[in-house]
Amino acid sequence: MELGFNVRRIHSSEGTEILPRPPVVTVMGHVDHGKTSLLDALRQTSLVAKEAGGITQHMGAFVVGMSTGASITFLDTPGHAAFSAMRKRGAAVTDIVVLVVAADDGVMPQTLEAIAHANAANVPIVVAINKCDKPAADPERVKNQLGAEGLELEDWGGKVQVVEVSAVKKTGLDDLEVALLLQAEMMNLKARVDGPAQAYVVEARLDKGRGPLTTAIVKAGTLVCGQHVVVGHEWGRIRAIRDMVGKSTDKARPAMPVEIEGLKGLPMAGDDIIVVDSEERARMLSSGRKKKFEKDRVRKINEERTENLEPSEDVPKRAEMPVIVKADVQGTVQAVTDALKTLNSPQLFVNVVHVGVGSVTQSDVDLAQACGACIVGFNVKSPPTSVSQAATQAGIKILMHSIIYHLLDDFGNLVVDKAPGTFETQVAGEAEVLNIFELKGRSKAKGDDVKIAGCRVIDGCFTRSSTMRLLRSGEVVFEGSCISLKREKQDVDTVAKGNECGLVIRDWHDFQVGDIIQCLEQVLVKPKFISSESGTVRIEC
């Protein structure tokens, strides 16, 4: 690489024993369309109740054994707009995508995104129309919508199987299993069982007692306890392998989701796992990758800053909002960071200064105090009282949330408060000219003759320090400052609606009865935080 060559690692294909393997199935679809409930019904456990607000916040992986003796590995992906990267990652390691669409809701934004991810990864789709037990269910409408999006459904002579199910009533589940096994049989899925393992990280989290834990799916070969591995820019010796029920095992076979213990740090979700011969080799690879990762990270930050430090003359300078993001697992950290960055606007730049896995600590508060950042904790335990008190004393805001909608709403309002805003000219009041009075100049010292407009305020109020705009027949004739505002011969600062007054505009003497005079004021307008039903958020300036 130093000599300018592009080096791409080709996984070792050692090993001759090639056997059929279970399919890896990713469940995708729009938020709240019943993906986790459907998987619940398939494996007879209740995961939905454990998820905050009934919304899946990160990926789950598990194996479902069928009554026929066959097994299927399932990945459950989140549906919310912020978790696009996770859905993409799910599609990359999968064989079949189950697209869950609610029969009463139809095709929604994340449904279309899931179709796009599956097509990009060249993965076949099986459609599961869920919530068919609801009174408002209309499966035919859903099929028409999917057909309009380019899916060639089996009912219409295509290849995409459609199954009508109800996760609550547990109907149609056998048909879905048959459809998945049929699709897997047509694909003739096989993998080598012996030789070095080829595996991918699905998720990574930090456990208080056991350290970094990595959820991985083996694609080929066998991952054995005690092997030295390099995962992204981290390395370690596999201390323990557990299946998704938490039972210890010596080895992981293809299409088997496992939790690996023993890495020195947290890898990024989506990294591949490479088995190496020795600890020295693992250290060397990891160290080289860390240097490159750090170099790329610094370059990226510099590029972002350069973009933000070159505003054109007519654009006001952007304010910066430093943020520290802490979440329960590595994949969620990335998803939350990406979601927060969507709230960048021409007025304010969201700068993520630090990310990490685990709860908010004193060092996070110290860093936040040093750079004036706010701390976002997602799906993590509340910080200890000492940390909370230190943050309060330092004036640092800590946002703790377990549902992505609430986090984005809260953070969006914070961004709006922090944005500098722009000044706009607004009409504070309107008055109609009823009569014109002329004050003759008595001597040269007193100046020229003065024309006074006798007006009645018909809307809002008039302020002497404001700029006045004169309208005649609906067209702007003149704009200038007010040099005198009187009511009943008394100088006043303001005149309210319904009252009469006399006013003089600098350098203007040609008033006519029926003219409209507007009182203009400069108002600071803050940007608006807009959240759509589909879950997307933006800041509108």
Side-chain angles (χ1 to χ4, degrees):
M1 285 163 81
E2 285 174 3
L3 294 170
F5 289 99
N6 282 327
V7 180
R8 187 165 64 88
R9 179 183 169 83
I10 298 170
H11 278 283
S12 167
S13 55
E14 292 170 30
T16 50
E17 198 183 344
I18 294 173
L19 297 174
R21 64 170 177 81
V24 178
V25 177
T26 300
V27 182
M28 291 189 180
H30 192 74
V31 65
D32 211 21
H33 273 202
K35 296 180 293 299
T36 310
S37 304
L38 181 62
L39 290 175
D40 252 5
L42 286 167
R43 63 174 181 163
Q44 299 293 317
T45 62
S46 184
L47 186 75
V48 173
K50 296 177 195 169
E51 294 280 9
I55 302 166
T56 305
Q57 306 289 353
H58 45 72
M59 272 190 174
F62 44 82
V63 179
V64 174
M66 303 295 159
S67 50
T68 54
S71 63
I72 300 175
T73 300
F74 281 100
L75 289 182
D76 182 14
T77 63
H80 188 270
F83 295 102
S84 165
M86 285 197 182
R87 279 195 296 285
K88 190 175 176 182
R89 200 163 65 236
V93 298
T94 195
D95 302 311
I96 305 166
V97 164
V98 171
L99 184 67
V100 178
V101 190
D104 59 341
D105 209 8
V107 172
M108 299 296 272
Q110 272 107 58
T111 315
L112 301 178
E113 197 187 76
I115 294 171
H117 284 325
N119 289 339
N122 201 16
V123 175
I125 295 173
V126 173
V127 177
I129 301 176
N130 195 15
K131 304 190 181 183
C132 286
D133 56 309
K134 286 201 168 184
D138 188 355
E140 288 307 314
R141 180 175 72 97
V142 174
K143 287 178 188 177
N144 290 333
Q145 287 176 333
L146 290 169
E149 293 303 331
L151 278 189
E152 298 170 359
L153 305 182
E154 204 173 44
D155 299 9
W156 302 344
K159 290 181 178 177
V160 178
Q161 299 180 75
V162 180
V163 185
E164 292 178 20
V165 297
S166 165
V168 176
K169 303 277 186 191
K170 294 187 171 55
T171 55
L173 300 182
D174 292 343
D175 298 340
L176 180 61
E177 288 171 12
V178 168
L180 289 172
L181 292 172
L182 179 66
Q183 184 69 50
E185 205 175 306
M186 282 158 47
M187 293 167 76
N188 192 22
L189 298 170
K190 288 185 177 178
R192 60 177 179 81
V193 182
D194 54 347
Q198 178 186 345
Y200 294 94
V201 176
V202 176
E203 204 55 272
R205 66 189 175 91
L206 207 57
D207 185 87
K208 206 171 184 180
R210 294 185 286 160
L213 300 178
T214 306
T215 304
I217 284 192
V218 181
K219 283 286 256 188
T222 304
L223 201 60
V224 182
C225 206
Q227 285 179 328
H228 288 94
V229 290
V230 178
V231 187
H233 54 263
E234 299 295 344
W235 72 279
R237 181 176 173 273
I238 300 175
R239 203 165 54 230
I241 298 176
R242 287 182 177 82
D243 60 18
M244 297 323 283
V245 188
K247 206 169 99 183
S248 284
T249 175
D250 291 337
K251 52 183 78 172
R253 297 277 178 133
M256 186 174 165
V258 288
E259 196 169 59
I260 298 166
E261 192 180 313
L263 291 184
K264 301 292 177 191
L266 276 176
M268 298 297 287
D271 285 343
D272 58 345
I273 297 173
I274 297 166
V275 179
V276 292
D277 303 331
S278 63
E279 188 178 317
E280 289 75 27
R281 177 93 179 122
R283 278 179 194 275
M284 192 182 78
L285 270 173
S286 169
S287 140
R289 288 180 176 193
K290 266 186 184 151
K291 281 177 191 165
K292 186 177 183 302
F293 174 76
E294 197 58 36
K295 206 171 167 184
D296 290 348
R297 192 178 71 85
V298 170
R299 194 185 72 241
K300 197 175 173 187
I301 289 171
N302 289 339
E303 280 172 6
E304 281 182 1
R305 285 201 184 281
T306 311
E307 282 171 23
N308 294 312
L309 290 173
E310 293 174 3
S312 57
E313 286 176 23
D314 55 340
V315 177
K317 192 184 174 189
R318 286 214 284 186
E320 190 176 289
M321 184 161 186
V323 187
I324 293 169
V325 178
K326 297 300 288 280
D328 57 342
V329 290
Q330 193 71 48
T332 309
V333 168
Q334 195 56 48
V336 170
T337 304
D338 293 345
L340 295 182
K341 282 185 176 176
T342 61
L343 295 174
N344 276 338
S345 70
Q347 291 187 23
L348 193 122
F349 166 57
V350 177
N351 181 18
V352 180
V353 291
H354 174 68
V355 296
V357 172
S359 55
V360 179
T361 61
Q362 183 61 48
S363 62
D364 295 324
V365 173
D366 294 342
L367 176 60
Q369 194 174 357
C371 61
C374 82
I375 300 172
V376 170
F378 186 76
N379 227 3
V380 292
K381 288 177 186 172
S382 297
T385 316
S386 58
V387 174
S388 300
Q389 284 175 351
T392 310
Q393 284 167 6
I396 292 158
K397 204 166 183 68
I398 300 180
L399 305 179
M400 300 294 291
H401 285 284
S402 57
I403 296 177
I404 191 78
Y405 298 129
H406 299 169
L407 170 65
L408 291 176
D409 285 351
D410 220 354
F411 190 74
N413 293 326
L414 201 64
V415 166
V416 168
D417 289 344
K418 189 89 183 270
T422 50
F423 282 99
E424 285 184 8
T425 303
Q426 291 186 357
V427 177
E430 277 190 349
E432 185 182 0
V433 178
L434 305 177
N435 209 338
I436 295 119
F437 305 97
E438 194 170 355
L439 198 65
K440 294 279 185 185
R442 290 186 293 278
S443 68
K444 283 184 180 178
K446 292 280 183 183
D448 299 331
D449 299 346
V450 176
K451 289 276 182 79
I452 301 168
C455 313
R456 178 184 289 120
V457 179
I458 53 177
D459 191 27
C461 77
F462 265 59
T463 313
R464 191 163 88 181
S465 57
S466 301
T467 302
M468 301 295 166
R469 179 190 285 161
L470 185 73
L471 302 177
R472 186 170 294 160
S473 305
E475 289 186 12
V476 178
V477 180
F478 184 76
E479 265 188 34
S481 58
C482 173
I483 53 173
S484 174
L485 182 67
K486 291 194 177 189
R487 188 170 180 276
E488 295 173 355
K489 296 185 181 181
Q490 297 291 320
D491 281 315
V492 288
D493 289 327
T494 57
V495 179
K497 182 181 174 180
N499 293 318
E500 293 182 355
C501 63
L503 62 85
V504 178
I505 299 176
R506 189 186 299 279
D507 299 331
W508 186 257
H509 310 292
D510 183 22
F511 293 110
Q512 291 183 14
V513 174
D515 283 352
I516 298 290
I517 298 174
Q518 291 181 335
C519 174
L520 306 178
E521 64 176 357
Q522 292 286 315
V523 178
L524 180 67
V525 178
K526 291 275 193 177
K528 287 179 188 166
F529 171 68
I530 295 168
S531 174
S532 69
E533 282 182 15
S534 65
T536 52
V537 290
R538 70 179 194 278
I539 299 288
E540 197 173 79
C541 294

